[in-house]
Amino acid sequence: MNLKKSLVISATAIALLGTGFGVKTFADDYWAGHVDVEAINTDIDTLASRVQSKNSQITQLTTDLGNAKSSVSGYQDQIKALQDQLTQANADKQTEIQEKINEINQKIDEGNQKVAAKQAEVDAANKKVSDLQQQLADAQQKLSDAQNKNNADMNQALSDVQATHAKADQAVQNNQ
C-alpha cells in the first residue's frame, strides 16, 4: 500500500507538473501579454544595442580626445619653440640695432670732430681776414692821412704860389 500510494502520489505530481508546464506553454503562446513581453524584450535588445553603440562612440571619442590632447601638447611645444625663436630673434635684432646705433653715434662723433676742425679752420681764416681787413683799414687810413697831408701841402703850396703870384703882380704893378 505504501508503494501504491507512492506511485499514485508520484503520478499525480507528474500529472500536475505536466499540466502546469502545458498550461504555461499554452499561456505563453496565447496570452495577450506575451506580445507586450516580446516587444519589451525587443526594446531591451534595441536599448542594449544603442548603449553598446554609445559606449563604442564614447570609447572612440575618448581616443579622439586623447589624440587631440596629444596634438595640443605638440602644438604647445611648437608654440613654445616658436616663441623662443621669436625671443631670440628679437634679442638678436636688438643687439644688431644697438650696434648700428653705436656705429651711427661713432660716425656722428667723427663728423662732429671734422666739423669742429673745419670750424677751427674757418675761425682761423676769419681771423686772418679780420687781420687783413684791419691792415687794409690801417693802410686806407694812412693813405687817407697821406692824401689829406698831401692835399694840405698842395693847398699850402697853391696858396703860397697864389700869394707869390699876387705879390709878383703887385710888384709889377707898383713898378710900372
Side-chain angles (χ1 to χ4, degrees), residues 13-145:
I14 290 173
L16 283 175
L17 280 176
T19 306
F21 181 71
V23 170
K24 181 194 179 302
T25 303
F26 178 77
D28 283 346
D29 288 337
Y30 296 103
W31 176 48
H34 179 70
V35 174
D36 292 337
V37 169
E38 285 181 356
I40 290 171
N41 284 334
T42 302
D43 290 345
I44 288 172
D45 289 342
T46 302
L47 288 175
S49 173
R50 287 182 184 172
V51 166
Q52 188 176 21
S53 174
K54 296 294 180 186
N55 283 340
S56 294
Q57 287 179 346
I58 288 172
T59 302
Q60 183 61 42
L61 290 173
T62 302
T63 302
D64 292 347
L65 179 61
N67 291 339
K69 284 181 179 179
S70 176
S71 295
V72 166
S73 177
Y75 292 143
Q76 286 174 338
D77 291 344
Q78 286 178 351
I79 289 170
K80 173 97 171 76
L82 290 173
Q83 286 174 338
D84 290 345
Q85 288 177 1
L86 178 62
T87 301
Q88 184 61 43
N90 282 340
D92 292 346
K93 281 298 175 189
Q94 287 297 334
T95 301
E96 187 178 324
I97 288 169
Q98 190 59 47
E99 287 173 357
K100 289 292 181 185
I101 289 172
N102 291 342
E103 185 179 318
I104 289 169
N105 285 339
Q106 183 180 0
K107 294 292 182 184
I108 288 172
D109 288 344
E110 289 173 7
N112 287 341
Q113 289 172 358
K114 288 178 181 179
V115 166
K118 288 296 179 185
Q119 186 63 45
E121 288 178 23
V122 167
D123 290 345
N126 284 340
K127 177 145 179 36
K128 192 170 190 179
V129 165
S130 178
D131 290 345
L132 289 173
Q133 286 175 338
Q134 184 61 43
Q135 288 176 1
L136 177 61
D138 290 345
Q140 286 175 339
Q141 184 61 42
K142 287 179 183 177
L143 176 63
S144 178
D145 290 346

